[in-house]
Amino acid sequence: MATAVYRAIPAAFRVAMHGQAAAVVSTAGLGVTSVARHLLEVHPESDPWVVRQLREAARDSLRSGAPEAARRCLARALREPPALDERADVLFELGCSALLTEPATTVNHLRAALDEPVLAPALREMIVYRLAQALGHSDRMAEAAETVAEAAREATDARTRLHMQAEQFMWNAFRADEPDSPARSRRLARLAEHLTGRSLAERYILGLRAWDAMVRGESAETALHYAREALGDGMSWTDDQWGFEVPVLVALTFMYCDQPGQAEELFNAGIAECERKGWRGAHLSFGFTLLGYIRYRRGRLDEAETLVRAGLRIADRVGRNVPAQYFAIGILIEILLARGRTSDAHDVAVKYGYGDVVPSAVVYPDSQTVHSELLLALGRRREAEYELARVGLRLEPRGMRNPAWCPWRLHLARATDNPEHAAALAAEALEMARRFGTQSAIGQALHTTASITENAAERLRLLADAVAHLERSPAGYDLASALVDHGVALRRAGLRQEAGEQLHRGLEGAVQCGADALAVRAREELDAAGLWPLQLRSDDTGLLTTQERQVAEWAVAGRSDDSMAEELGVGLPVVTRLMSDIYRKVGSDRGGLERMIRRQSLPPSR
């Protein structure tokens, strides 16, 4: 009935009534959102009061998580139009309202704002920062880097210059076509040496230094040092002046340094912060996708797939062939391959044309090699070998050599038909993994080296060594895979009892991870050895048992494995497996165990 009455009012008279209603609602103190609902219906008349009300209503809408409503208010304010000295502000706010969901649209509004004749220096800085962010999320990394580089050259204020330099370091780090990556890394290292982390700008540069140290394969301790300095007492994902990119890189640095539990904490906090502010665009997509990637690295494949699919749904709404989308596609394919669902992974790649999108203008995590992994799984070795060689040609001149981040050498070693070339690649990757120093990176390199080794005795030794390293890491899926391969090698060597033990442990790990194809393979190998699988443990990966809690406390106190075995009255292998379960559950190697035990307050299960 109300709609019928409303439509029956003559159009011109109805517009006038909306104008009167806006004044009455404002006088009654019912809030700018209610006022704006009427102002959206009136004709533009160059009224400054209307512009102020619409801008305030847009700010309220953004705070309450309604960017579409904010965009409508600001677009209407622009048509009023605003005064000349206010127009740049309105264009800036209009661009920011579309940043999360339509970064390409944001670029147009912000470029228009920069062209305004009246522009305050502080506003110019904010426009340049947001413009670079919008360009970056539209897969225009070179433009983003050049935009902030020009602003840094022109800046007269030291704080503004440091801000723009930090942004320039970041966008150049993401570019696949950066002209001199090693020189940037050297400049960044020199700058970070003199920073104390007192200001937010300094902490962001320290965060970029942590990421750069990680991708270049410096020691994990160096990367963690800078990551902790950058983190301080926390980094906001929704800061108006700094954005979420560097906090994400800091969190991922912890993950690649075998401390995914802390990375997960940071991502959970960041996602919650985005949701509190109603952010539903690329930022939230990256949050879900990369949280899923962390779960994948911990060996929780089912949870990982759910999270990445959620991230991909959001990215699909942002646009095609943007970073948020192909991050999600690549990581989803990687998870599906780990679960043994090769046809599903192929369907995803075909649907999105993934092979045509990657490599693109951006350098991103070890999903660089995902399409090659898919080709290998499909038996297309030559194509995989060609793509992996291209990845190496792209990353090697940039000094990005960490196999924990991009294991292209390890995949190429498995893809090539040349045994000598494969051995050389695997040896290089193993050396770099040892230099980086994480247990998971060393274990993965040893596992690949074993897979291309023809000598049976040497393969057994390498696999045993790989298992020993992976047991000291939180990488659940990689451990399960190495255990199954070790069991297979032991069975072929005629060591039936030892093979059964490793195969059972691998089966148990595969089931806990959700790696269905690996679990099927382990059962088939147990059957081939004439062994029945033992009762699998019912394991909640989020809880420590009472015994695990005690052992973890002893480890934090500095007790050796031998002394813990003596205290428990068990053999050393039992303590090794207890510690392995602890690392997997809390998401950390021994170096980060104390913090996770103290901070997470994991309750012991009965």
Side-chain angles (χ1 to χ4, degrees), residues 70 111 184 188 195 200 461 535:
R111 288 200 188 282
R184 172 186 53 80
L188 180 58
L195 300 181
L200 195 57
R461 185 191 67 79
Q535 180 68 37

Side-chain angles (χ1 to χ4, degrees), residues 37-117:
R37 178 254 181 275
H38 295 287
L39 293 179
L40 288 171
E41 305 296 334
V42 304
H43 294 311
E45 293 182 347
S46 300
D47 187 339
W49 179 81
V50 172
V51 175
R52 288 196 303 272
Q53 295 294 310
L54 288 169
R55 288 180 66 190
E56 185 59 38
R59 284 191 283 269
D60 273 3
S61 296
L62 285 175
R63 283 192 291 265
S64 61
E68 291 288 342
R71 190 153 59 250
R72 285 195 298 272
C73 289
L74 291 165
R76 173 62 186 80
L78 195 62
R79 292 196 304 272
E80 187 61 20
L84 185 62
D85 61 353
E86 198 178 3
R87 181 176 169 82
D89 293 273
V90 176
L91 282 166
F92 170 66
E93 292 166 6
L94 179 58
C96 290
S97 70
L99 175 62
L100 303 178
T101 53
E102 298 178 29
T105 301
T106 295
V107 170
N108 297 329
H109 292 313
L110 296 181
R111 288 200 188 282
L114 283 176
D115 290 337
E116 287 297 310

Side-chain angles (χ1 to χ4, degrees), residues 343-413:
S343 60
D344 290 349
H346 182 249
D347 290 344
V348 171
V350 170
K351 176 182 176 182
Y352 288 95
Y354 190 67
D356 300 325
V357 174
V358 178
S360 70
V362 64
V363 173
Y364 61 104
D366 63 356
S367 300
Q368 281 277 340
T369 59
V370 166
H371 191 243
S372 303
E373 288 182 63
L374 177 59
L375 292 173
L376 274 175
L378 295 170
R380 295 156 62 179
R381 293 172 63 93
R382 291 295 183 191
E383 295 174 63
E385 185 176 0
Y386 173 72
E387 283 205 7
L388 288 164
R390 289 180 64 196
V391 171
L393 289 173
R394 213 165 49 245
L395 297 185
E396 190 64 20
R398 303 192 62 183
M400 295 178 167
R401 300 187 175 96
N402 189 353
W405 175 69
C406 186
W408 67 269
R409 283 182 175 83
L410 298 175
H411 294 307
L412 184 54

